[in-house]
Every structure is written in structure tokens, then in C-alpha cells.
Amino acid sequence: MREPLLFGEAPRARELPFLPLVAGPTPVEPLRAELGGTPLRAGLWQKRDDRASPLYGGNKVRRYEWVLADALDRGARTIVTAGGYASTQVTATILHATAQGLDVDAVLFDQPITSFAREALSTDAAAGGNLIDGRGYARTAWLVAKRMRAATRPYLLLPGASSPLPNLGYVDAMLELGEQVARGECPRPDRIVLPTGSGGTVVGLALGAALLGWSTVITAVRITEPYVTNRISLGALLFATRRRLDTLGVRGSKRLANARVEVDGRFLGEGYGFPTRETAAGMTLTAALIGQPGEPTYSGKGLAALAAWAEARPSEEILYWHTLSSTGRDAGATQRAAPVRLGPELRRVFAREPVA
Ligand SMILES: *Cc1c(COP(=O)(O)O)cnc(C)c1O
């Protein structure tokens, strides 16, 4: 059974409940692909967290090793969560929590309808999630509060599921990369690029890099509105997660002050979930790299940004950290009618023409 490398850095982390969901280190590989017929340059790498779990990979699994363990430890029976129709966090919650015998109530808010949104909704419904149509953000928040009162032994997972406890998952992931670099599987990256919403992934990686004594810059490609993802919100999350590491007895905690996150806001376009001029290329890159259809919300923007950074910084070793799952997906679902298990309210998503 995998034991977190974090236990070696922060001894009191051993006292926390932990649920191993990631089988072992995810591969780190050269990133080789073409963009518009031209090969991307050498010196690019990819960390395959798309394969973090055969059940459903992507960047939520490592957080759930801590947060679902906490929910089970507290005797929770129902996870109450929220996200957009195409939310990977909702899908990851439903697949991983139901596998632990928990019920999931997910309130879904409106976002542009894409093929991936249909795929996600089909997967969510087939896996037995209790899906509730939230429509706007305010109504979604109200319905979440309502579910928290009505559900049996509820446990709240906010959209994105980034708080200091789950963020430990990506501190640990960075230590994993540290071992891979030490083994010579790839060079120490100058920069790590990945799409960023609630910020837990970049914050964990930045703190992990600081623990390793690396000066690697973590480039957070903004995929949500600036009021959600910005230097102040990420700074606050970084600080809170650092405090958490301190309470866990992290060695040499002064090192953590060197954590570096930079926000790249150029690829958001109209907003969360909206395709842009660059996302078509980013989606093609996703498919080439992970072997599953891309989507415009996360990897479409993240990989478009990677291509831009590769060109702008020709001498840097740049690593793209995959956040989208390549496992547990039902990509064929987009071709079919609305799944029977979807309530009438959400079925209308399948009546609209996808925008990407
Ligand atoms: C959740 C998610 C993100 C954003 O990660 P945060 O830690 O919330 O910033 C990026 N890509 C994918 C595919 C995700 O599911």
C-alpha cells in the first residue's frame, strides 16, 4: 500500500486519516506532440496524473485520499457537493465516494454545454450520483444548504475541493516528482504549467517545490473568473495550507516561504467553460497526449498556455501537469440521448447543441 512521502517531511501527518486511492507514482514522460503540423520543441515534459486512478484519474484523486478519509472518519454518509454541468470534481466525487459506500448529492450550475459536459453528466448519472439542477450560482448555493439540512450525515465538499487538508495531496505529489527527478526520469523543471480553478493543485505543488528547495515557478493558467482565481485568493490558500503543514510538524518550515505561484490570465476568454480561439488546438493536444477527447474548460486552456510558454521561453525545461482524467470516462456518451437516470430538468442539456 502506498504511503505518502509527506509523512517523512511532516511527521504528524501520520495521525490524519488517510485513504490510499492512487496506486503509485504517476509516470513522468517527455511531452511529444504536434501543433498545427509542427512538432513542439524538446525540453517539454508531462506528469500523467490523468492516470492517477483506474476508477477516475485527474487532479482530484490525490485530494480525496485526505478528504474522503476525513469524511469516513467523521462517520459521514452523504457527500454534498456542487459544480458546473461539466465539473470533473463532481464526477470524481461521485465515482470515488460511491466506491467507498457513500451517497453523493451534487448540485450542478449552468455552464456552456460541450460534448464533455454531456459525457460528464452521463458518467455522473450512471454512477448513481443524486444530481440536482442548480441553474445559477445563487440558487445552487441555496440548494446546497438545503441538501446539507436534509441529507443523512452530510459532509460538505465545496466546488473545487481545495482547502488546506486536501491540498496536502499535491504537496505529496510534488515530493513524488522530486523522487522521479532524483532517479533521473526527467530534469528538474524550471516551470510547471497547469490549469487552475480553486487553486489547491498549484498551492500544493508550490509548497512541495519549496520543501524540495527548488526554484521552480508554478504557472497557474486561470480557467475561472478573476474574482475566483487571483493572486490574493491563491496567496490566502497558500498561507492557510502552509499553516496546516506547520501544525503537522513540517521540518524546516521557513523553506515554505519560497513557494512561487504566478497567474497567467491570458487564456480564460469569456469565462469558465467557454471555448476560446486557442482551445480547439488545446483540445487536439489533450487528445494526442492522453488518448481521450479534450475539453475547453480545463486542459484546452492549460495546453494552449503550455504551447505559448514553450515558445516564449525556449531555454526552460517546462513540465505540463495533466489534471484531466483519461480513465473512467464514457466519451461515447456524447453521441447518445440523455441517459434515463438523468432527471427531466437535466435532460434538456442534451437538447442543446454543444458549443465545443
Ligand atoms: C479541478 C480541476 C482543475 C483545477 O484545479 P484546482 O486545484 O481547483 O485549481 C484543473 N483541471 C481539471 C481537469 C480539474 O478537474
Side-chain angles (χ1 to χ4, degrees):
M1 204 199 301
R2 195 180 123 257
E3 170 159 294
L5 296 165
L6 187 65
F7 289 173
E9 292 282 342
R12 285 211 292 280
R14 281 182 192 280
E15 294 159 21
L16 296 173
F18 182 76
L19 176 70
L21 298 171
V22 179
T26 58
V28 61
E29 303 164 348
L31 187 156
R32 291 199 192 97
E34 284 188 354
L35 193 61
T38 316
L40 291 176
R41 71 162 170 88
L44 303 180
W45 304 85
Q46 54 180 345
K47 178 77 169 145
R48 300 292 306 271
D49 271 16
D50 57 296
R51 290 164 52 179
S53 155
L55 187 58
Y56 191 73
N59 70 341
K60 301 305 180 292
V61 193
R62 292 183 190 266
R63 345 225 234 247
Y64 290 0
E65 294 191 310
W66 303 89
V67 85
L68 288 184
D70 186 56
L72 291 167
D73 188 59
R74 289 171 193 269
R77 293 278 302 281
T78 313
I79 306 287
V80 178
T81 193
Y85 295 147
S87 168
T88 46
Q89 180 244 318
V90 166
T91 304
T93 306
I94 292 171
L95 288 172
H96 285 285
T98 55
Q100 300 301 322
L102 295 161
D103 289 331
V104 178
D105 288 355
V107 188
L108 303 173
F109 53 77
D110 200 3
Q111 71 170 91
I113 299 306
T114 57
S115 298
F116 185 78
R118 291 179 166 191
E119 177 194 315
L121 280 173
S122 299
T123 309
D124 297 350
N130 175 26
L131 306 179
I132 301 147
D133 194 0
R135 307 227 180 91
Y137 290 155
R139 190 166 173 272
T140 297
W142 172 69
L143 286 169
V144 166
K146 223 172 124 177
R147 288 315 304 160
M148 285 300 290
R149 281 197 303 275
T152 317
R153 292 179 151 274
Y155 186 97
L156 181 63
L157 257 190
L158 290 172
S162 287
S163 58
L165 178 71
N167 293 354
L168 298 178
Y170 269 90
V171 180
D172 193 53
M174 194 67 185
L175 301 176
E176 177 180 300
L177 181 68
E179 290 209 325
Q180 290 173 315
V181 168
R183 286 199 294 268
E185 294 176 28
C186 81
R188 179 193 294 191
D190 298 308
R191 181 181 303 279
I192 295 177
V193 176
L194 66 156
T196 295
S198 60
T201 314
V202 290
V203 159
L205 291 177
L207 289 167
L211 283 179
L212 291 167
W214 291 3
S215 54
T216 304
V217 180
I218 312 297
T219 299
V221 181
R222 179 187 282 144
I223 55 146
T224 46
E225 279 61 19
Y227 69 84
V228 179
T229 318
N230 54 65
R231 279 174 51 203
I232 295 170
S233 64
L234 292 178
L237 192 59
L238 193 78
F239 187 73
T241 308
R242 198 180 146 188
R243 289 278 291 271
R244 183 82 201 213
L245 282 167
D246 270 332
T247 67
L248 298 174
V250 74
R251 298 180 220 279
S253 71
K254 281 214 182 82
R255 286 180 284 169
L256 296 176
N258 299 325
R260 278 177 78 189
V261 176
E262 286 179 2
V263 180
D264 181 350
R266 296 172 296 167
F267 295 88
L268 175 66
E270 248 184 279
Y272 177 73
F274 283 90
T276 67
R277 206 158 29 87
E278 294 99 352
T279 49
M283 287 170 68
T284 308
L285 268 179
T286 309
L289 293 170
I290 70 171
Q292 283 285 315
E295 43 68 47
T297 308
Y298 313 100
S299 62
K301 288 174 184 169
L303 279 162
L306 172 83
W309 279 101
E311 202 179 305
R313 302 290 167 94
S315 62
E316 285 185 356
E317 299 285 348
I318 305 182
L319 183 143
Y320 183 80
W321 202 299
H322 284 283
T323 58
L324 181 71
S325 182
S326 58
T327 58
R329 291 177 49 181
D330 180 8
T334 58
Q335 310 306 324
R336 296 197 297 267
V340 180
R341 293 205 51 159
L342 217 53
E345 284 192 308
L346 284 161
R347 279 165 164 263
R348 68 190 157 71
V349 168
F350 283 76
R352 292 191 224 162
E353 200 50 45
V355 296

